[in-house]
Structure formats: structure tokens, C-alpha cells
Amino acid sequence: MSRFLRLLFRPVTYTRWLHLCIPVLFYAVWLFVFQSVPMVLVPLLFPLLLGLVPSVRMAEGIQAQLMLTPGERRSPHPTIAAGPATTWTDRWRTVLWLEIRLALAAVTALVTVRLPMLGVELIDAATGSPASDEAVLSIGEPHWIYGVLAPLPLLALPVAIVVLGRLVTAVARRLLGPSAAERLTALEARTELLLEHNRIARELHDSIGHALTVAVVQAGAARAANDPAFTARALAAIEETGRAAMDDLERVLLVLRASGDRVAPRPTLVEADRLLESARMSGAKVDAELTGPLDSVPGPVSREGYRILQEALTNVLRHCGPVPVRVCVAALERQLEMEVTNPLPPAAPSAQTGSGLRGIRERAALLGGEAKCGPHEGDWRVRVRLPLDGIR
């Protein structure tokens, strides 16, 4: 009972009632203008002619969202679609919706008008007043019992409004809801959005994590060295790495803001020397071997390879500090091979945990490659293979 009383005070109950009354108004105007047209043709032909127009489905969907489910209109997955019909199935569903809506509108108009009239007639019957020519009931002798029954039609009216509103909303969700193709499109769009968010998270982790690691290592080394010349080089390295991280951060923020400004291109393996030099300036002894035409590596592979190399070097500096590092990058005919090896630290990170190692494996898997991270012959090795066939 309390739930029903709450429904009576919800604005959506009366917007649904208004939504049901709208077709009756158009029906009345039609009959007023075209009095010679048989009444039966309007509910049969009018929805058929309108429902086959693709834009009518969009108009009905928007109206239903606003008046039947206003709370769901801005949700990520509204139960009522608001787009034009793209298939004949959607058009015939729209036709059926218009027919049912018109039928429910007729019932709504009937109970909205007749129930209050019935209440008045019962009062007249109780007081002995003469009945009108359009009376709903034919009552003979007046009786006081009719006065007791008079409130019942007025109490039944809000119940009918609530029931009819919920019924038309259920029908709208069924017939105006997203089709299978629309649900698949929405699912694909959401999947793309989640993948983009994951990619951005990896970008921030790799770029900002690398910059902070270099800054911490450089600052610690400069303080321990107590050498003005070394301190100057360390500060220069921190400044350069910080500027690169700021550029990456600004590029990611532009993507998140959906800005129309031109976004700076992501770094590729052609710029790998910048990473190697940054690691060297952090104190690591980097022995690098870059072979093959890195400038001809496809863009997606080159960009992801840069981030993988960046994360591998960041892990070395973070967990081992300035130690000897062996870097091998080879652009072969069919695949890109990358290997970063350093002395195994006393507390080696697990090959199965850590967001950095997980990000390396995810990047490799997205390109159809593989990444193996873990101890190897007394060293810690990150080995990645990325296919080049079929990637542009």
C-alpha cells in the first residue's frame, strides 16, 4: 500500500498519463478536420503509414524517454532507444508500438472521463437527482447505498493511471528498446571505450612512472656523489625526463577531454636513444644493440615497443638501481624482438604480478605477440616478440 502511495506522488506517473493522452488529442483533431473519413480507418492506417518512416521511431523513442523513463534518459544504457529505424524489423516494431499506444490511449481516455462521471452519477442516484442522457449506469430508484459507492470510481482512477502507465512503459521497452544490432553496436562502443581507458592508464603508468623513477634515482645519485658536475648532469636529466613526461601527460589529457586540438604523436622506437640516454644519465651502464630498419617498423608495433622498452628500463632502475643493462632490439623480416637483461636483484619481483610487467604482457598480447619476464641464467630478463605481418 505504501509503495502504491509513493507511486501516486511520483512525477513520472503523471508524465506517463500525459503520454497516453497525447494520441487522443491528435485523434480528436483528425476527426474534427476530416469528418467524412470513417473513424475506423484512423487507428488502422495512421500508425501503419507513420511507423514505416524511419525518423518516426526516433521521435517516439525521444518522447518515451522524456515521459516514460526520464530517470534513465542519461544513463549509459537506456532501455528505450532514440534512433531512426535501420531495418524493416524496427519499422514493423514501430508500427506495432503505435497501434498498441493508440489502443492504450483509448482506454486511458475512457477511464479518465468515465470514472469521474460514474462517481457523479452514483451521487445523483443517492440524492434522487435525474440522470443525464449520457449516463454510464441506468439506475432506477434512489438509494443511500449509491452514496457509499460513489468514492470508489474516484479511487479507481489513480490505480488505473498507475497500471496503464506501467503497462505502456513495459511495451515501450519491448518495442522501442534497442534491437540486437543496436545492442551489439553499443557493446562494441563500450568495449572500445574500456580499451582506450586501459591504454591511457598504461600510457600514464609507463610515462609518469619512468619519469619519477629517473628523477628519484638521479636525485639520490647526485646527493651521494657530492660532485657539482655530476649534480648538474643529474638535474639536466631530471629536467629533460620531466619535460617529456609533461608532454605525454598533456597528450593524454587532450584525449580525455575530447579536445579538437592537435594531439602530439606518440613516441616510437626511432626515439629509443632518448630512453637509453636517460637510463645512462641515471647511472645505469647500458649496453645497447639496435639492429634492423627500426624506422620501417609499423606504427602500432613501434609505439608499443617504445613503451615496453620504457617500462623494462624503468623496472631496472626502480628495483636494481644503476646496474649494467643489456638491451637488444632487432627489427627482423617477420617480427620485432626485444630483450632487456640486468643482474638479478636480491628481491626479484614476481613474473606474474606488478602492473608494469602486466602492462608489458598486455601490450604484447594486443599485437598478437608474447612477452616473458623472469629470472634467466642468473639475470632478470624481459623478452618480447611482436609480429610484423599484417600490421600497418
Side-chain angles (χ1 to χ4, degrees):
M1 185 64 181
S2 60
R3 181 181 179 185
F4 175 76
L5 291 177
R6 287 196 300 269
L7 290 175
L8 289 181
F9 291 99
R10 290 178 60 190
V12 69
T13 298
Y14 300 98
T15 59
R16 290 172 177 175
W17 174 73
L18 180 59
H19 181 270
L20 284 166
C21 292
I22 290 175
V24 179
L25 299 177
F26 284 103
Y27 188 48
V29 171
W30 175 275
L31 293 179
F32 180 77
V33 176
F34 304 99
Q35 298 181 5
S36 59
V37 179
M39 294 178 60
V40 71
L41 293 180
V42 178
L44 293 178
L45 296 179
F46 206 58
L48 179 61
L49 296 176
L50 283 179
L52 296 179
V53 179
S55 57
V56 171
R57 182 176 179 82
M58 180 173 64
E60 289 292 319
I62 293 174
Q63 186 182 150
Q65 285 183 355
L66 289 171
M67 305 184 75
L68 299 182
T69 58
E72 301 176 6
R73 182 168 180 256
R74 298 185 181 277
S75 61
H77 306 289
T79 55
I80 298 177
T86 56
T87 64
W88 280 102
T89 301
D90 289 341
R91 296 183 185 184
W92 287 113
R93 290 172 69 197
T94 307
V95 171
L96 182 58
W97 155 253
L98 292 175
E99 295 283 4
I100 295 177
R101 182 184 178 187
L102 193 57
L104 292 176
V107 175
T108 303
L110 182 64
V111 299
T112 301
V113 175
R114 291 298 185 179
L115 286 179
M117 288 179 60
L118 180 58
V120 174
E121 290 175 11
L122 290 172
I123 295 175
D124 291 341
T127 59
S129 301
S132 63
D133 297 336
E134 299 180 356
V136 178
L137 297 177
S138 177
I139 301 175
E141 295 296 326
H143 197 278
W144 62 269
I145 194 64
Y146 296 130
V148 177
L149 298 176
L152 295 182
L154 299 179
L155 294 176
L157 179 58
V159 176
I161 291 176
V162 171
V163 171
L164 289 170
R166 294 172 72 90
L167 179 59
V168 73
T169 303
V171 174
R173 287 193 173 109
R174 179 66 177 176
L175 297 179
L176 295 181
S179 62
E182 290 171 331
R183 286 194 295 269
L184 181 59
T185 301
L187 181 61
E188 290 176 348
R190 178 163 177 78
T191 302
E192 289 292 333
L193 181 62
L194 291 176
L195 289 175
E196 180 67 14
H197 285 177
N198 288 336
R199 187 187 67 80
I200 290 174
R202 287 195 301 267
E203 289 283 324
L204 287 176
H205 174 272
D206 294 350
S207 178
I208 305 303
H210 175 76
L212 292 177
T213 300
V214 169
V216 170
V217 172
Q218 290 280 12
R223 184 178 59 181
N226 197 21
D227 182 356
F230 182 85
T231 301
R233 291 196 302 272
L235 291 175
I238 292 173
E239 180 182 8
E240 180 183 355
T241 306
R243 290 182 185 278
M246 289 177 61
D247 291 340
D248 288 340
L249 179 61
E250 183 64 24
R251 178 177 54 78
V252 171
L253 291 178
L254 286 174
V255 173
L256 290 176
R257 294 169 184 159
S259 172
D261 299 336
R262 185 180 179 87
V263 180
R266 295 167 57 196
T268 64
L269 282 175
V270 178
E271 305 170 63
D273 288 340
R274 188 178 73 177
L275 289 177
L276 301 176
E277 187 61 27
S278 175
R280 290 189 181 103
M281 296 189 69
S282 299
K285 300 177 178 62
V286 180
D287 181 14
E289 182 181 355
L290 308 179
T291 60
L294 294 179
D295 54 348
S296 63
V297 174
V301 178
S302 188
R303 288 189 292 268
E304 296 302 321
Y306 179 93
R307 292 304 185 192
I308 290 173
L309 178 60
Q310 183 181 53
E311 180 58 33
L313 291 174
T314 301
N315 282 340
V316 173
L317 296 174
R318 181 181 298 155
H319 297 291
C320 304
V323 298
V325 184
R326 172 70 177 169
V327 176
C328 296
V329 179
L332 306 179
E333 182 179 356
R334 303 178 65 89
Q335 67 180 7
L336 175 71
E337 294 185 356
M338 304 174 60
E339 187 173 300
V340 178
T341 307
N342 61 277
L344 192 65
S350 171
Q352 304 299 326
T353 60
S355 57
L357 300 180
R358 184 172 61 251
I360 290 176
R361 287 192 290 268
E362 288 176 353
R363 290 180 185 275
L366 285 174
L367 294 173
E370 62 174 356
K372 295 181 179 180
C373 310
H376 178 72
E377 297 181 356
D379 293 331
W380 180 268
R381 184 180 69 173
V382 175
R383 189 173 187 181
V384 180
R385 290 190 177 94
L386 303 177
L388 302 181
D389 295 344
I391 298 180
R392 296 180 180 179

